[in-house]
Amino acid sequence: MKRLGISTVLAFALMLSGTSAYATESLQNSNQIEPLASYTYKVTIKTNSADDAGTNSKIQIKLHGSKKDSPLTTLDSAGDDFEQGATGVYYVTASAALGSIQKIEIKSDGKGNKPGWLPYSFVIQKDTSTWKFYNDKWIGDNGPETVTLTP
Ligand SMILES: [Ca+2]
Ligand SMILES: [Ca+2]
């Protein structure tokens, strides 16, 4: 049997390390939580850092687009949501393209301890488009409430 030269061994080792780096990258990609649906909008919500700005109320959002509105979607991530000063990422999926997002509707059921919620910003992203909405109103501090925000 022919003995392998050092350069052959080195080349083989390089090939192996290249393969494993590639495998690791593929695994990381498959672990990304972003859904694959075509008409999915990423919604990043920052809650104000003022006292009691957080909420445990049920929060829902509807995106109003130039072509279509999204369904009213409950925002609930795996972790605790809408904590004072925290930022959360959510996804809203529609059955068709919404077009340009012109306003958003935020609905609170107004339940829980100190239910009033003071979100600071909502950033909606789809492909290369971004729409930003800012808020300075307390939502749901006196029971169920729906607030509409425009850019
Ligand atoms: Ca509160
Ligand atoms: Ca949650």
mmCIF file with all atom_site columns, all heavy atoms in Angstrom, residues 66-89:
data_model
loop_
_atom_site.group_PDB
_atom_site.id
_atom_site.type_symbol
_atom_site.label_atom_id
_atom_site.label_alt_id
_atom_site.label_comp_id
_atom_site.label_asym_id
_atom_site.label_entity_id
_atom_site.label_seq_id
_atom_site.pdbx_PDB_ins_code
_atom_site.Cartn_x
_atom_site.Cartn_y
_atom_site.Cartn_z
_atom_site.occupancy
_atom_site.B_iso_or_equiv
_atom_site.pdbx_formal_charge
_atom_site.auth_seq_id
_atom_site.auth_comp_id
_atom_site.auth_asym_id
_atom_site.auth_atom_id
_atom_site.pdbx_PDB_model_num
ATOM 1   N N   . SER A 1 66 ? -51.474 49.497 1.569  1.00 0.00 ? 66 SER A N   1
ATOM 2   C CA  . SER A 1 66 ? -52.120 50.198 0.448  1.00 0.00 ? 66 SER A CA  1
ATOM 3   C C   . SER A 1 66 ? -52.940 49.231 -0.401 1.00 0.00 ? 66 SER A C   1
ATOM 4   O O   . SER A 1 66 ? -53.858 49.639 -1.109 1.00 0.00 ? 66 SER A O   1
ATOM 5   C CB  . SER A 1 66 ? -51.064 50.898 -0.407 1.00 0.00 ? 66 SER A CB  1
ATOM 6   O OG  . SER A 1 66 ? -50.071 49.972 -0.822 1.00 0.00 ? 66 SER A OG  1
ATOM 7   N N   . LYS A 1 67 ? -52.605 47.925 -0.345 1.00 0.00 ? 67 LYS A N   1
ATOM 8   C CA  . LYS A 1 67 ? -53.346 46.935 -1.134 1.00 0.00 ? 67 LYS A CA  1
ATOM 9   C C   . LYS A 1 67 ? -54.290 46.081 -0.304 1.00 0.00 ? 67 LYS A C   1
ATOM 10  O O   . LYS A 1 67 ? -55.316 45.610 -0.802 1.00 0.00 ? 67 LYS A O   1
ATOM 11  C CB  . LYS A 1 67 ? -52.364 45.988 -1.836 1.00 0.00 ? 67 LYS A CB  1
ATOM 12  C CG  . LYS A 1 67 ? -51.495 46.646 -2.888 1.00 0.00 ? 67 LYS A CG  1
ATOM 13  C CD  . LYS A 1 67 ? -50.590 45.595 -3.520 1.00 0.00 ? 67 LYS A CD  1
ATOM 14  C CE  . LYS A 1 67 ? -49.610 46.203 -4.498 1.00 0.00 ? 67 LYS A CE  1
ATOM 15  N NZ  . LYS A 1 67 ? -48.562 45.233 -4.858 1.00 0.00 ? 67 LYS A NZ  1
ATOM 16  N N   . LYS A 1 68 ? -53.902 45.855 0.947  1.00 0.00 ? 68 LYS A N   1
ATOM 17  C CA  . LYS A 1 68 ? -54.626 44.865 1.747  1.00 0.00 ? 68 LYS A CA  1
ATOM 18  C C   . LYS A 1 68 ? -54.259 45.058 3.211  1.00 0.00 ? 68 LYS A C   1
ATOM 19  O O   . LYS A 1 68 ? -53.213 45.626 3.506  1.00 0.00 ? 68 LYS A O   1
ATOM 20  C CB  . LYS A 1 68 ? -54.179 43.472 1.269  1.00 0.00 ? 68 LYS A CB  1
ATOM 21  C CG  . LYS A 1 68 ? -54.901 42.283 1.851  1.00 0.00 ? 68 LYS A CG  1
ATOM 22  C CD  . LYS A 1 68 ? -54.320 40.994 1.244  1.00 0.00 ? 68 LYS A CD  1
ATOM 23  C CE  . LYS A 1 68 ? -54.760 39.770 2.035  1.00 0.00 ? 68 LYS A CE  1
ATOM 24  N NZ  . LYS A 1 68 ? -56.189 39.501 1.979  1.00 0.00 ? 68 LYS A NZ  1
ATOM 25  N N   . ASP A 1 69 ? -55.135 44.583 4.108  1.00 0.00 ? 69 ASP A N   1
ATOM 26  C CA  . ASP A 1 69 ? -54.816 44.590 5.531  1.00 0.00 ? 69 ASP A CA  1
ATOM 27  C C   . ASP A 1 69 ? -54.405 43.192 5.972  1.00 0.00 ? 69 ASP A C   1
ATOM 28  O O   . ASP A 1 69 ? -54.890 42.204 5.434  1.00 0.00 ? 69 ASP A O   1
ATOM 29  C CB  . ASP A 1 69 ? -56.038 45.015 6.356  1.00 0.00 ? 69 ASP A CB  1
ATOM 30  C CG  . ASP A 1 69 ? -56.473 46.443 6.052  1.00 0.00 ? 69 ASP A CG  1
ATOM 31  O OD1 . ASP A 1 69 ? -55.689 47.179 5.418  1.00 0.00 ? 69 ASP A OD1 1
ATOM 32  O OD2 . ASP A 1 69 ? -57.591 46.804 6.442  1.00 0.00 ? 69 ASP A OD2 1
ATOM 33  N N   . SER A 1 70 ? -53.538 43.128 6.950  1.00 0.00 ? 70 SER A N   1
ATOM 34  C CA  . SER A 1 70 ? -53.165 41.820 7.510  1.00 0.00 ? 70 SER A CA  1
ATOM 35  C C   . SER A 1 70 ? -54.292 41.350 8.419  1.00 0.00 ? 70 SER A C   1
ATOM 36  O O   . SER A 1 70 ? -55.145 42.149 8.821  1.00 0.00 ? 70 SER A O   1
ATOM 37  C CB  . SER A 1 70 ? -51.870 41.936 8.316  1.00 0.00 ? 70 SER A CB  1
ATOM 38  O OG  . SER A 1 70 ? -52.143 42.464 9.605  1.00 0.00 ? 70 SER A OG  1
ATOM 39  N N   . PRO A 1 71 ? -54.284 40.062 8.781  1.00 0.00 ? 71 PRO A N   1
ATOM 40  C CA  . PRO A 1 71 ? -55.221 39.637 9.820  1.00 0.00 ? 71 PRO A CA  1
ATOM 41  C C   . PRO A 1 71 ? -54.832 40.289 11.150 1.00 0.00 ? 71 PRO A C   1
ATOM 42  O O   . PRO A 1 71 ? -53.671 40.671 11.329 1.00 0.00 ? 71 PRO A O   1
ATOM 43  C CB  . PRO A 1 71 ? -55.004 38.120 9.896  1.00 0.00 ? 71 PRO A CB  1
ATOM 44  C CG  . PRO A 1 71 ? -54.151 37.742 8.744  1.00 0.00 ? 71 PRO A CG  1
ATOM 45  C CD  . PRO A 1 71 ? -53.432 38.974 8.305  1.00 0.00 ? 71 PRO A CD  1
ATOM 46  N N   . LEU A 1 72 ? -55.787 40.408 12.067 1.00 0.00 ? 72 LEU A N   1
ATOM 47  C CA  . LEU A 1 72 ? -55.477 40.839 13.426 1.00 0.00 ? 72 LEU A CA  1
ATOM 48  C C   . LEU A 1 72 ? -54.669 39.704 14.052 1.00 0.00 ? 72 LEU A C   1
ATOM 49  O O   . LEU A 1 72 ? -55.137 38.572 14.124 1.00 0.00 ? 72 LEU A O   1
ATOM 50  C CB  . LEU A 1 72 ? -56.779 41.084 14.199 1.00 0.00 ? 72 LEU A CB  1
ATOM 51  C CG  . LEU A 1 72 ? -56.648 41.661 15.608 1.00 0.00 ? 72 LEU A CG  1
ATOM 52  C CD1 . LEU A 1 72 ? -56.031 43.056 15.577 1.00 0.00 ? 72 LEU A CD1 1
ATOM 53  C CD2 . LEU A 1 72 ? -57.997 41.692 16.297 1.00 0.00 ? 72 LEU A CD2 1
ATOM 54  N N   . THR A 1 73 ? -53.438 40.000 14.441 1.00 0.00 ? 73 THR A N   1
ATOM 55  C CA  . THR A 1 73 ? -52.493 38.958 14.862 1.00 0.00 ? 73 THR A CA  1
ATOM 56  C C   . THR A 1 73 ? -52.066 39.161 16.304 1.00 0.00 ? 73 THR A C   1
ATOM 57  O O   . THR A 1 73 ? -51.642 40.258 16.684 1.00 0.00 ? 73 THR A O   1
ATOM 58  C CB  . THR A 1 73 ? -51.245 38.994 13.951 1.00 0.00 ? 73 THR A CB  1
ATOM 59  O OG1 . THR A 1 73 ? -51.670 38.821 12.594 1.00 0.00 ? 73 THR A OG1 1
ATOM 60  C CG2 . THR A 1 73 ? -50.243 37.912 14.323 1.00 0.00 ? 73 THR A CG2 1
ATOM 61  N N   . THR A 1 74 ? -52.184 38.125 17.120 1.00 0.00 ? 74 THR A N   1
ATOM 62  C CA  . THR A 1 74 ? -51.741 38.193 18.514 1.00 0.00 ? 74 THR A CA  1
ATOM 63  C C   . THR A 1 74 ? -50.220 38.126 18.579 1.00 0.00 ? 74 THR A C   1
ATOM 64  O O   . THR A 1 74 ? -49.594 37.290 17.924 1.00 0.00 ? 74 THR A O   1
ATOM 65  C CB  . THR A 1 74 ? -52.351 37.029 19.320 1.00 0.00 ? 74 THR A CB  1
ATOM 66  O OG1 . THR A 1 74 ? -53.775 37.146 19.264 1.00 0.00 ? 74 THR A OG1 1
ATOM 67  C CG2 . THR A 1 74 ? -51.899 37.062 20.780 1.00 0.00 ? 74 THR A CG2 1
ATOM 68  N N   . LEU A 1 75 ? -49.621 39.033 19.348 1.00 0.00 ? 75 LEU A N   1
ATOM 69  C CA  . LEU A 1 75 ? -48.164 39.104 19.452 1.00 0.00 ? 75 LEU A CA  1
ATOM 70  C C   . LEU A 1 75 ? -47.732 38.412 20.737 1.00 0.00 ? 75 LEU A C   1
ATOM 71  O O   . LEU A 1 75 ? -47.997 38.891 21.843 1.00 0.00 ? 75 LEU A O   1
ATOM 72  C CB  . LEU A 1 75 ? -47.724 40.572 19.450 1.00 0.00 ? 75 LEU A CB  1
ATOM 73  C CG  . LEU A 1 75 ? -48.178 41.363 18.221 1.00 0.00 ? 75 LEU A CG  1
ATOM 74  C CD1 . LEU A 1 75 ? -47.752 42.818 18.357 1.00 0.00 ? 75 LEU A CD1 1
ATOM 75  C CD2 . LEU A 1 75 ? -47.618 40.755 16.948 1.00 0.00 ? 75 LEU A CD2 1
ATOM 76  N N   . ASP A 1 76 ? -47.100 37.263 20.585 1.00 0.00 ? 76 ASP A N   1
ATOM 77  C CA  . ASP A 1 76 ? -46.687 36.479 21.744 1.00 0.00 ? 76 ASP A CA  1
ATOM 78  C C   . ASP A 1 76 ? -45.442 35.676 21.378 1.00 0.00 ? 76 ASP A C   1
ATOM 79  O O   . ASP A 1 76 ? -45.529 34.710 20.635 1.00 0.00 ? 76 ASP A O   1
ATOM 80  C CB  . ASP A 1 76 ? -47.846 35.550 22.151 1.00 0.00 ? 76 ASP A CB  1
ATOM 81  C CG  . ASP A 1 76 ? -47.524 34.742 23.399 1.00 0.00 ? 76 ASP A CG  1
ATOM 82  O OD1 . ASP A 1 76 ? -46.520 35.036 24.067 1.00 0.00 ? 76 ASP A OD1 1
ATOM 83  O OD2 . ASP A 1 76 ? -48.299 33.809 23.693 1.00 0.00 ? 76 ASP A OD2 1
ATOM 84  N N   . SER A 1 77 ? -44.305 36.098 21.863 1.00 0.00 ? 77 SER A N   1
ATOM 85  C CA  . SER A 1 77 ? -43.065 35.366 21.590 1.00 0.00 ? 77 SER A CA  1
ATOM 86  C C   . SER A 1 77 ? -42.862 34.293 22.656 1.00 0.00 ? 77 SER A C   1
ATOM 87  O O   . SER A 1 77 ? -43.637 34.196 23.607 1.00 0.00 ? 77 SER A O   1
ATOM 88  C CB  . SER A 1 77 ? -41.883 36.333 21.588 1.00 0.00 ? 77 SER A CB  1
ATOM 89  O OG  . SER A 1 77 ? -41.602 36.736 22.907 1.00 0.00 ? 77 SER A OG  1
ATOM 90  N N   . ALA A 1 78 ? -41.820 33.508 22.520 1.00 0.00 ? 78 ALA A N   1
ATOM 91  C CA  . ALA A 1 78 ? -41.539 32.428 23.471 1.00 0.00 ? 78 ALA A CA  1
ATOM 92  C C   . ALA A 1 78 ? -41.251 32.991 24.867 1.00 0.00 ? 78 ALA A C   1
ATOM 93  O O   . ALA A 1 78 ? -41.545 32.353 25.863 1.00 0.00 ? 78 ALA A O   1
ATOM 94  C CB  . ALA A 1 78 ? -40.359 31.600 22.981 1.00 0.00 ? 78 ALA A CB  1
ATOM 95  N N   . GLY A 1 79 ? -40.702 34.177 24.936 1.00 0.00 ? 79 GLY A N   1
ATOM 96  C CA  . GLY A 1 79 ? -40.339 34.763 26.234 1.00 0.00 ? 79 GLY A CA  1
ATOM 97  C C   . GLY A 1 79 ? -41.430 35.679 26.773 1.00 0.00 ? 79 GLY A C   1
ATOM 98  O O   . GLY A 1 79 ? -42.565 35.678 26.302 1.00 0.00 ? 79 GLY A O   1
ATOM 99  N N   . ASP A 1 80 ? -41.068 36.456 27.804 1.00 0.00 ? 80 ASP A N   1
ATOM 100 C CA  . ASP A 1 80 ? -41.982 37.434 28.384 1.00 0.00 ? 80 ASP A CA  1
ATOM 101 C C   . ASP A 1 80 ? -42.052 38.616 27.409 1.00 0.00 ? 80 ASP A C   1
ATOM 102 O O   . ASP A 1 80 ? -41.023 39.044 26.892 1.00 0.00 ? 80 ASP A O   1
ATOM 103 C CB  . ASP A 1 80 ? -41.424 37.886 29.743 1.00 0.00 ? 80 ASP A CB  1
ATOM 104 C CG  . ASP A 1 80 ? -42.535 38.240 30.700 1.00 0.00 ? 80 ASP A CG  1
ATOM 105 O OD1 . ASP A 1 80 ? -43.684 38.398 30.244 1.00 0.00 ? 80 ASP A OD1 1
ATOM 106 O OD2 . ASP A 1 80 ? -42.251 38.387 31.901 1.00 0.00 ? 80 ASP A OD2 1
ATOM 107 N N   . ASP A 1 81 ? -43.259 39.097 27.163 1.00 0.00 ? 81 ASP A N   1
ATOM 108 C CA  . ASP A 1 81 ? -43.426 40.144 26.149 1.00 0.00 ? 81 ASP A CA  1
ATOM 109 C C   . ASP A 1 81 ? -43.717 41.510 26.776 1.00 0.00 ? 81 ASP A C   1
ATOM 110 O O   . ASP A 1 81 ? -44.315 41.588 27.845 1.00 0.00 ? 81 ASP A O   1
ATOM 111 C CB  . ASP A 1 81 ? -44.580 39.764 25.220 1.00 0.00 ? 81 ASP A CB  1
ATOM 112 C CG  . ASP A 1 81 ? -44.317 38.442 24.529 1.00 0.00 ? 81 ASP A CG  1
ATOM 113 O OD1 . ASP A 1 81 ? -43.549 38.432 23.568 1.00 0.00 ? 81 ASP A OD1 1
ATOM 114 O OD2 . ASP A 1 81 ? -44.859 37.415 24.997 1.00 0.00 ? 81 ASP A OD2 1
ATOM 115 N N   . PHE A 1 82 ? -43.307 42.557 26.071 1.00 0.00 ? 82 PHE A N   1
ATOM 116 C CA  . PHE A 1 82 ? -43.669 43.935 26.400 1.00 0.00 ? 82 PHE A CA  1
ATOM 117 C C   . PHE A 1 82 ? -43.258 44.349 27.806 1.00 0.00 ? 82 PHE A C   1
ATOM 118 O O   . PHE A 1 82 ? -44.015 44.983 28.531 1.00 0.00 ? 82 PHE A O   1
ATOM 119 C CB  . PHE A 1 82 ? -45.175 44.152 26.171 1.00 0.00 ? 82 PHE A CB  1
ATOM 120 C CG  . PHE A 1 82 ? -45.639 43.575 24.873 1.00 0.00 ? 82 PHE A CG  1
ATOM 121 C CD1 . PHE A 1 82 ? -46.619 42.599 24.832 1.00 0.00 ? 82 PHE A CD1 1
ATOM 122 C CD2 . PHE A 1 82 ? -45.049 43.956 23.677 1.00 0.00 ? 82 PHE A CD2 1
ATOM 123 C CE1 . PHE A 1 82 ? -47.026 42.036 23.634 1.00 0.00 ? 82 PHE A CE1 1
ATOM 124 C CE2 . PHE A 1 82 ? -45.441 43.396 22.469 1.00 0.00 ? 82 PHE A CE2 1
ATOM 125 C CZ  . PHE A 1 82 ? -46.433 42.432 22.455 1.00 0.00 ? 82 PHE A CZ  1
ATOM 126 N N   . GLU A 1 83 ? -42.035 43.979 28.172 1.00 0.00 ? 83 GLU A N   1
ATOM 127 C CA  . GLU A 1 83 ? -41.481 44.424 29.446 1.00 0.00 ? 83 GLU A CA  1
ATOM 128 C C   . GLU A 1 83 ? -40.972 45.857 29.288 1.00 0.00 ? 83 GLU A C   1
ATOM 129 O O   . GLU A 1 83 ? -40.556 46.268 28.194 1.00 0.00 ? 83 GLU A O   1
ATOM 130 C CB  . GLU A 1 83 ? -40.318 43.513 29.852 1.00 0.00 ? 83 GLU A CB  1
ATOM 131 C CG  . GLU A 1 83 ? -40.740 42.081 30.146 1.00 0.00 ? 83 GLU A CG  1
ATOM 132 C CD  . GLU A 1 83 ? -41.612 41.986 31.384 1.00 0.00 ? 83 GLU A CD  1
ATOM 133 O OE1 . GLU A 1 83 ? -41.093 42.210 32.481 1.00 0.00 ? 83 GLU A OE1 1
ATOM 134 O OE2 . GLU A 1 83 ? -42.813 41.713 31.248 1.00 0.00 ? 83 GLU A OE2 1
ATOM 135 N N   . GLN A 1 84 ? -40.996 46.584 30.397 1.00 0.00 ? 84 GLN A N   1
ATOM 136 C CA  . GLN A 1 84 ? -40.507 47.963 30.425 1.00 0.00 ? 84 GLN A CA  1
ATOM 137 C C   . GLN A 1 84 ? -39.103 48.062 29.817 1.00 0.00 ? 84 GLN A C   1
ATOM 138 O O   . GLN A 1 84 ? -38.184 47.360 30.230 1.00 0.00 ? 84 GLN A O   1
ATOM 139 C CB  . GLN A 1 84 ? -40.476 48.389 31.893 1.00 0.00 ? 84 GLN A CB  1
ATOM 140 C CG  . GLN A 1 84 ? -39.967 49.773 32.162 1.00 0.00 ? 84 GLN A CG  1
ATOM 141 C CD  . GLN A 1 84 ? -39.941 50.030 33.671 1.00 0.00 ? 84 GLN A CD  1
ATOM 142 O OE1 . GLN A 1 84 ? -40.649 49.382 34.430 1.00 0.00 ? 84 GLN A OE1 1
ATOM 143 N NE2 . GLN A 1 84 ? -39.128 50.981 34.088 1.00 0.00 ? 84 GLN A NE2 1
ATOM 144 N N   . GLY A 1 85 ? -38.943 48.894 28.792 1.00 0.00 ? 85 GLY A N   1
ATOM 145 C CA  . GLY A 1 85 ? -37.637 49.137 28.165 1.00 0.00 ? 85 GLY A CA  1
ATOM 146 C C   . GLY A 1 85 ? -37.144 48.043 27.230 1.00 0.00 ? 85 GLY A C   1
ATOM 147 O O   . GLY A 1 85 ? -36.058 48.160 26.675 1.00 0.00 ? 85 GLY A O   1
ATOM 148 N N   . ALA A 1 86 ? -37.945 46.988 27.042 1.00 0.00 ? 86 ALA A N   1
ATOM 149 C CA  . ALA A 1 86 ? -37.470 45.844 26.246 1.00 0.00 ? 86 ALA A CA  1
ATOM 150 C C   . ALA A 1 86 ? -37.887 45.942 24.775 1.00 0.00 ? 86 ALA A C   1
ATOM 151 O O   . ALA A 1 86 ? -38.828 46.656 24.425 1.00 0.00 ? 86 ALA A O   1
ATOM 152 C CB  . ALA A 1 86 ? -37.989 44.548 26.839 1.00 0.00 ? 86 ALA A CB  1
ATOM 153 N N   . THR A 1 87 ? -37.170 45.215 23.935 1.00 0.00 ? 87 THR A N   1
ATOM 154 C CA  . THR A 1 87 ? -37.492 45.142 22.514 1.00 0.00 ? 87 THR A CA  1
ATOM 155 C C   . THR A 1 87 ? -37.864 43.712 22.162 1.00 0.00 ? 87 THR A C   1
ATOM 156 O O   . THR A 1 87 ? -37.185 42.772 22.579 1.00 0.00 ? 87 THR A O   1
ATOM 157 C CB  . THR A 1 87 ? -36.272 45.564 21.673 1.00 0.00 ? 87 THR A CB  1
ATOM 158 O OG1 . THR A 1 87 ? -35.940 46.914 22.007 1.00 0.00 ? 87 THR A OG1 1
ATOM 159 C CG2 . THR A 1 87 ? -36.575 45.494 20.168 1.00 0.00 ? 87 THR A CG2 1
ATOM 160 N N   . GLY A 1 88 ? -38.951 43.534 21.423 1.00 0.00 ? 88 GLY A N   1
ATOM 161 C CA  . GLY A 1 88 ? -39.385 42.197 21.018 1.00 0.00 ? 88 GLY A CA  1
ATOM 162 C C   . GLY A 1 88 ? -39.572 42.131 19.510 1.00 0.00 ? 88 GLY A C   1
ATOM 163 O O   . GLY A 1 88 ? -39.873 43.137 18.863 1.00 0.00 ? 88 GLY A O   1
ATOM 164 N N   . VAL A 1 89 ? -39.357 40.938 18.964 1.00 0.00 ? 89 VAL A N   1
ATOM 165 C CA  . VAL A 1 89 ? -39.513 40.728 17.516 1.00 0.00 ? 89 VAL A CA  1
ATOM 166 C C   . VAL A 1 89 ? -40.656 39.745 17.263 1.00 0.00 ? 89 VAL A C   1
ATOM 167 O O   . VAL A 1 89 ? -40.711 38.687 17.894 1.00 0.00 ? 89 VAL A O   1
ATOM 168 C CB  . VAL A 1 89 ? -38.208 40.191 16.900 1.00 0.00 ? 89 VAL A CB  1
ATOM 169 C CG1 . VAL A 1 89 ? -38.409 39.848 15.421 1.00 0.00 ? 89 VAL A CG1 1
ATOM 170 C CG2 . VAL A 1 89 ? -37.091 41.202 17.065 1.00 0.00 ? 89 VAL A CG2 1
#
